[in-house]
Short mmCIF file of all heavy atoms in Angstrom, two decimals:
data_model
loop_
_atom_site.label_atom_id
_atom_site.label_comp_id
_atom_site.label_asym_id
_atom_site.label_seq_id
_atom_site.Cartn_x
_atom_site.Cartn_y
_atom_site.Cartn_z
N HIS O 1 100.50 80.10 78.74
CA HIS O 1 101.21 78.83 78.90
C HIS O 1 100.79 77.85 77.81
O HIS O 1 101.63 77.11 77.29
CB HIS O 1 100.93 78.24 80.28
CG HIS O 1 101.81 77.09 80.62
ND1 HIS O 1 103.18 77.21 80.69
CD2 HIS O 1 101.54 75.79 80.87
CE1 HIS O 1 103.71 76.04 80.99
NE2 HIS O 1 102.73 75.15 81.10
N ALA O 2 99.52 77.85 77.44
CA ALA O 2 99.05 76.95 76.39
C ALA O 2 99.75 77.24 75.07
O ALA O 2 100.09 76.33 74.32
CB ALA O 2 97.53 77.07 76.23
N MET O 3 99.98 78.52 74.78
CA MET O 3 100.67 78.87 73.54
C MET O 3 102.12 78.41 73.58
O MET O 3 102.66 77.92 72.57
CB MET O 3 100.58 80.38 73.30
CG MET O 3 100.93 80.78 71.88
SD MET O 3 100.70 82.55 71.56
CE MET O 3 98.91 82.68 71.71
N SER O 4 102.76 78.54 74.72
CA SER O 4 104.16 78.10 74.82
C SER O 4 104.26 76.58 74.74
O SER O 4 105.21 76.04 74.16
CB SER O 4 104.79 78.60 76.12
OG SER O 4 104.19 78.00 77.25
N VAL O 5 103.26 75.87 75.29
CA VAL O 5 103.23 74.41 75.17
C VAL O 5 103.10 74.02 73.71
O VAL O 5 103.79 73.11 73.23
CB VAL O 5 102.07 73.82 76.00
CG1 VAL O 5 101.83 72.36 75.62
CG2 VAL O 5 102.38 73.92 77.49
N ALA O 6 102.21 74.71 72.97
CA ALA O 6 102.04 74.42 71.55
C ALA O 6 103.35 74.64 70.79
O ALA O 6 103.72 73.86 69.91
CB ALA O 6 100.93 75.30 70.97
N PHE O 7 104.06 75.71 71.13
CA PHE O 7 105.33 76.02 70.48
C PHE O 7 106.36 74.92 70.75
O PHE O 7 107.06 74.48 69.83
CB PHE O 7 105.85 77.37 70.99
CG PHE O 7 107.17 77.78 70.40
CD1 PHE O 7 107.27 78.13 69.07
CD2 PHE O 7 108.31 77.81 71.19
CE1 PHE O 7 108.49 78.52 68.52
CE2 PHE O 7 109.53 78.20 70.66
CZ PHE O 7 109.62 78.55 69.32
N ARG O 8 106.43 74.45 71.98
CA ARG O 8 107.39 73.41 72.33
C ARG O 8 107.05 72.09 71.66
O ARG O 8 107.94 71.35 71.22
CB ARG O 8 107.45 73.24 73.85
CG ARG O 8 108.00 74.47 74.57
CD ARG O 8 107.87 74.32 76.08
NE ARG O 8 108.74 73.27 76.59
CZ ARG O 8 108.71 72.84 77.86
NH1 ARG O 8 107.83 73.37 78.70
NH2 ARG O 8 109.54 71.89 78.26
N LEU O 9 105.76 71.77 71.56
CA LEU O 9 105.35 70.55 70.87
C LEU O 9 105.68 70.63 69.39
O LEU O 9 106.09 69.63 68.77
CB LEU O 9 103.86 70.30 71.07
CG LEU O 9 103.43 69.87 72.48
CD1 LEU O 9 101.91 69.83 72.58
CD2 LEU O 9 104.03 68.50 72.85
N HIS O 10 105.50 71.81 68.80
CA HIS O 10 105.86 71.97 67.39
C HIS O 10 107.35 71.76 67.19
O HIS O 10 107.77 71.11 66.21
CB HIS O 10 105.44 73.36 66.90
CG HIS O 10 105.93 73.67 65.52
ND1 HIS O 10 105.49 72.99 64.40
CD2 HIS O 10 106.85 74.57 65.08
CE1 HIS O 10 106.10 73.46 63.33
NE2 HIS O 10 106.94 74.41 63.72
N ARG O 11 108.16 72.27 68.09
CA ARG O 11 109.61 72.10 67.97
C ARG O 11 110.01 70.64 68.11
O ARG O 11 111.09 70.24 67.64
CB ARG O 11 110.33 72.95 69.03
CG ARG O 11 110.16 74.45 68.81
CD ARG O 11 111.01 75.25 69.77
NE ARG O 11 112.43 75.05 69.53
CZ ARG O 11 113.38 75.66 70.24
NH1 ARG O 11 113.06 76.47 71.22
NH2 ARG O 11 114.66 75.43 69.97
N LYS O 12 109.15 69.83 68.73
CA LYS O 12 109.44 68.40 68.85
C LYS O 12 108.85 67.62 67.67
O LYS O 12 108.90 66.39 67.67
CB LYS O 12 108.88 67.85 70.17
CG LYS O 12 109.54 68.45 71.41
CD LYS O 12 109.14 67.73 72.68
CE LYS O 12 109.85 66.40 72.79
NZ LYS O 12 109.71 65.79 74.15
N GLY O 13 108.27 68.35 66.70
CA GLY O 13 107.84 67.69 65.47
C GLY O 13 106.34 67.64 65.22
O GLY O 13 105.92 67.08 64.20
N LEU O 14 105.52 68.20 66.10
CA LEU O 14 104.07 68.15 65.90
C LEU O 14 103.62 69.32 65.02
O LEU O 14 103.78 70.48 65.41
CB LEU O 14 103.35 68.22 67.25
CG LEU O 14 101.82 68.18 67.19
CD1 LEU O 14 101.35 66.83 66.64
CD2 LEU O 14 101.21 68.45 68.56
N PRO O 15 103.02 69.06 63.85
CA PRO O 15 102.46 70.15 63.04
C PRO O 15 101.24 70.73 63.77
O PRO O 15 100.25 70.02 63.97
CB PRO O 15 102.07 69.47 61.73
CG PRO O 15 102.82 68.17 61.72
CD PRO O 15 102.93 67.77 63.16
N ILE O 16 101.29 71.98 64.16
CA ILE O 16 100.23 72.56 64.97
C ILE O 16 99.97 74.01 64.54
O ILE O 16 100.90 74.75 64.21
CB ILE O 16 100.59 72.50 66.48
CG1 ILE O 16 99.39 72.89 67.35
CG2 ILE O 16 101.81 73.34 66.80
CD1 ILE O 16 99.59 72.54 68.82
N VAL O 17 98.70 74.36 64.50
CA VAL O 17 98.29 75.75 64.22
C VAL O 17 97.39 76.19 65.37
O VAL O 17 96.47 75.46 65.76
CB VAL O 17 97.54 75.86 62.87
CG1 VAL O 17 96.94 77.26 62.71
CG2 VAL O 17 98.48 75.56 61.71
N CYS O 18 97.65 77.36 65.91
CA CYS O 18 96.89 77.87 67.05
C CYS O 18 95.86 78.90 66.62
O CYS O 18 96.09 79.67 65.68
CB CYS O 18 97.83 78.48 68.09
SG CYS O 18 98.93 77.30 68.88
N ILE O 19 94.74 78.91 67.34
CA ILE O 19 93.69 79.91 67.12
C ILE O 19 93.55 80.71 68.41
O ILE O 19 93.40 80.13 69.48
CB ILE O 19 92.36 79.23 66.77
CG1 ILE O 19 92.46 78.52 65.41
CG2 ILE O 19 91.21 80.23 66.75
CD1 ILE O 19 91.23 77.73 65.04
N PRO O 20 93.63 82.04 68.33
CA PRO O 20 93.60 82.85 69.55
C PRO O 20 92.19 83.08 70.09
O PRO O 20 91.29 83.47 69.36
CB PRO O 20 94.22 84.17 69.09
CG PRO O 20 93.84 84.27 67.65
CD PRO O 20 93.82 82.86 67.12
N LYS O 21 92.01 82.83 71.38
CA LYS O 21 90.77 83.17 72.07
C LYS O 21 91.12 84.03 73.27
O LYS O 21 92.10 83.78 73.98
CB LYS O 21 90.01 81.92 72.51
CG LYS O 21 90.64 81.12 73.63
CD LYS O 21 89.76 79.96 74.03
CE LYS O 21 90.39 79.09 75.14
NZ LYS O 21 90.46 79.78 76.43
N SER O 22 90.35 85.06 73.51
CA SER O 22 90.62 85.91 74.66
C SER O 22 89.49 86.90 74.87
O SER O 22 89.17 87.68 73.97
CB SER O 22 91.93 86.68 74.47
OG SER O 22 92.13 87.59 75.53
N VAL O 23 88.89 86.88 76.07
CA VAL O 23 87.89 87.91 76.39
C VAL O 23 88.59 89.21 76.79
O VAL O 23 87.94 90.22 77.02
CB VAL O 23 86.95 87.45 77.52
CG1 VAL O 23 86.18 86.21 77.10
CG2 VAL O 23 87.69 87.23 78.82
N GLU O 24 89.92 89.18 76.87
CA GLU O 24 90.68 90.38 77.21
C GLU O 24 91.28 91.04 75.97
O GLU O 24 91.82 92.14 76.05
CB GLU O 24 91.78 90.02 78.21
CG GLU O 24 91.23 89.37 79.48
CD GLU O 24 92.32 88.88 80.41
OE1 GLU O 24 93.48 89.29 80.24
OE2 GLU O 24 92.02 88.09 81.33
N ASN O 25 91.23 90.35 74.84
CA ASN O 25 91.74 90.85 73.56
C ASN O 25 93.20 91.29 73.66
O ASN O 25 93.60 92.30 73.09
CB ASN O 25 90.88 92.01 73.04
CG ASN O 25 90.91 92.12 71.52
OD1 ASN O 25 91.08 91.13 70.83
ND2 ASN O 25 90.74 93.32 71.01
N ASP O 26 94.00 90.49 74.35
CA ASP O 26 95.37 90.90 74.66
C ASP O 26 96.44 90.11 73.91
O ASP O 26 97.61 90.16 74.26
CB ASP O 26 95.61 90.76 76.16
CG ASP O 26 95.31 89.35 76.67
OD1 ASP O 26 94.88 88.51 75.86
OD2 ASP O 26 95.49 89.11 77.87
N ILE O 27 96.03 89.36 72.88
CA ILE O 27 97.01 88.59 72.10
C ILE O 27 97.64 89.50 71.06
O ILE O 27 96.95 90.09 70.22
CB ILE O 27 96.34 87.37 71.45
CG1 ILE O 27 95.76 86.46 72.55
CG2 ILE O 27 97.34 86.60 70.59
CD1 ILE O 27 95.01 85.27 72.03
N ALA O 28 98.95 89.62 71.12
CA ALA O 28 99.66 90.67 70.39
C ALA O 28 99.49 90.62 68.89
O ALA O 28 99.47 91.65 68.23
CB ALA O 28 101.15 90.64 70.76
N VAL O 29 99.38 89.43 68.30
CA VAL O 29 99.45 89.32 66.85
C VAL O 29 98.11 89.52 66.16
O VAL O 29 98.05 89.55 64.93
CB VAL O 29 100.05 87.96 66.44
CG1 VAL O 29 101.47 87.83 66.93
CG2 VAL O 29 99.19 86.82 66.95
N THR O 30 97.03 89.65 66.90
CA THR O 30 95.72 89.78 66.28
C THR O 30 94.96 90.97 66.84
O THR O 30 95.05 91.26 68.03
CB THR O 30 94.89 88.49 66.46
OG1 THR O 30 93.67 88.60 65.73
CG2 THR O 30 94.58 88.22 67.91
N SER O 31 94.25 91.68 65.98
CA SER O 31 93.47 92.82 66.44
C SER O 31 92.21 92.40 67.16
O SER O 31 91.66 93.17 67.97
CB SER O 31 93.08 93.71 65.24
OG SER O 31 94.22 94.30 64.66
N LEU O 32 91.72 91.19 66.88
CA LEU O 32 90.48 90.75 67.51
C LEU O 32 90.49 89.24 67.69
O LEU O 32 90.41 88.49 66.73
CB LEU O 32 89.27 91.17 66.65
CG LEU O 32 87.89 90.91 67.25
CD1 LEU O 32 87.72 91.68 68.56
CD2 LEU O 32 86.79 91.30 66.28
N ALA O 33 90.61 88.82 68.93
CA ALA O 33 90.48 87.40 69.26
C ALA O 33 89.00 87.07 69.37
O ALA O 33 88.20 87.90 69.82
CB ALA O 33 91.19 87.10 70.57
N PHE O 34 88.63 85.85 68.99
CA PHE O 34 87.21 85.52 69.11
C PHE O 34 86.87 85.41 70.59
O PHE O 34 87.69 85.02 71.43
CB PHE O 34 86.87 84.24 68.33
CG PHE O 34 87.13 82.96 69.06
CD1 PHE O 34 86.16 82.41 69.90
CD2 PHE O 34 88.33 82.30 68.91
CE1 PHE O 34 86.39 81.22 70.57
CE2 PHE O 34 88.57 81.11 69.57
CZ PHE O 34 87.61 80.57 70.41
N GLY O 35 85.65 85.75 70.93
CA GLY O 35 85.20 85.78 72.31
C GLY O 35 85.15 87.17 72.90
O GLY O 35 84.37 87.44 73.82
N TYR O 36 85.98 88.08 72.37
CA TYR O 36 86.05 89.42 72.96
C TYR O 36 84.78 90.22 72.70
O TYR O 36 84.26 90.90 73.60
CB TYR O 36 87.25 90.18 72.42
CG TYR O 36 87.32 91.60 72.96
CD1 TYR O 36 87.62 91.83 74.30
CD2 TYR O 36 87.06 92.70 72.14
CE1 TYR O 36 87.67 93.12 74.80
CE2 TYR O 36 87.10 93.98 72.64
CZ TYR O 36 87.41 94.19 73.97
OH TYR O 36 87.45 95.47 74.47
N ASP O 37 84.26 90.18 71.49
CA ASP O 37 83.07 90.97 71.18
C ASP O 37 81.89 90.57 72.05
O ASP O 37 81.14 91.43 72.54
CB ASP O 37 82.71 90.81 69.70
CG ASP O 37 81.55 91.69 69.28
OD1 ASP O 37 81.71 92.92 69.25
OD2 ASP O 37 80.46 91.13 69.00
N SER O 38 81.72 89.29 72.28
CA SER O 38 80.64 88.82 73.14
C SER O 38 80.85 89.30 74.57
O SER O 38 79.92 89.78 75.23
CB SER O 38 80.57 87.29 73.12
OG SER O 38 80.34 86.81 71.82
N ALA O 39 82.09 89.16 75.07
CA ALA O 39 82.39 89.58 76.44
C ALA O 39 82.15 91.08 76.62
O ALA O 39 81.64 91.52 77.65
CB ALA O 39 83.82 89.23 76.80
N LEU O 40 82.50 91.85 75.60
CA LEU O 40 82.29 93.30 75.66
C LEU O 40 80.80 93.62 75.75
O LEU O 40 80.39 94.49 76.54
CB LEU O 40 82.91 93.97 74.43
CG LEU O 40 82.75 95.49 74.32
CD1 LEU O 40 83.37 96.19 75.53
CD2 LEU O 40 83.40 96.00 73.03
N GLY O 41 79.99 92.92 74.98
CA GLY O 41 78.55 93.14 75.05
C GLY O 41 77.97 92.75 76.39
O GLY O 41 77.16 93.49 76.98
#
């Protein structure tokens, strides 16, 4: 939901860049989200 909110705010004119975080490593566009390696350990 946070990513979709960022997308909608960008469409309303806010310049925004997102950084993926996930202990599940499930974000489609990146092979490794930060936080996953620590969670795995």
Side-chain angles (χ1 to χ4, degrees):
H1 191 61
M3 195 175 294
S4 66
V5 167
F7 179 69
R8 294 173 68 187
L9 289 173
H10 172 66
R11 293 187 66 179
K12 296 189 76 168
L14 180 65
I16 189 167
V17 171
C18 294
I19 294 175
K21 69 177 178 69
S22 174
V23 299
E24 303 174 16
N25 208 29
D26 55 358
I27 299 176
V29 297
T30 186
S31 294
L32 187 61
F34 84 87
Y36 177 70
D37 184 69
S38 301
L40 179 59

